[in-house]
Amino acid sequence: PEDVARRVELRLATGDYESESAIVTASLRAQMDSDDQFADWTRNALPDALAEWRAAPDRVRPASEVFEGVLARYEARKARES
């Protein structure tokens, strides 16, 4: 696809890669690392998080509620800095 070819051209132009093959290799390695991290998370952190949730479901808040709080704190800080 054209968008991929353009991105490869841009990467080559930076001089960070010697060839298209080097870009593909780096991209595949990054994807493999990401896949490995996700697999580790699903094997290790996720079961622990689910166990904590099952032990105390009343401590869990909906994401929308959490984001509302984050946004409110951000807007308050922004107002103070203005």
Side-chain angles (χ1 to χ4, degrees):
E2 289 181 29
D3 59 328
V4 173
R6 180 69 183 134
R7 185 162 286 190
V8 168
E9 290 171 9
L10 291 171
R11 294 279 176 115
L12 285 172
T14 67
D16 292 339
Y17 298 92
E18 294 178 11
S19 66
E20 293 175 355
S21 178
I23 295 170
V24 171
T25 299
S27 297
L28 287 172
R29 285 190 176 135
Q31 182 63 51
M32 289 168 34
D33 288 346
S34 176
D35 290 349
D36 291 345
Q37 289 173 4
F38 181 75
D40 288 344
W41 178 79
T42 57
R43 277 192 304 271
N44 300 314
L46 181 59
D48 292 343
L50 288 173
E52 287 181 33
W53 171 70
R54 288 183 179 122
D58 56 312
R59 294 181 58 201
V60 176
R61 294 187 297 159
S64 59
E65 184 180 316
V66 173
F67 288 126
E68 286 174 9
V70 169
L71 182 58
R73 286 190 300 276
Y74 169 76
E75 288 176 349
R77 182 187 307 170
K78 191 172 150 185
R80 284 191 308 269
E81 293 174 358
S82 296

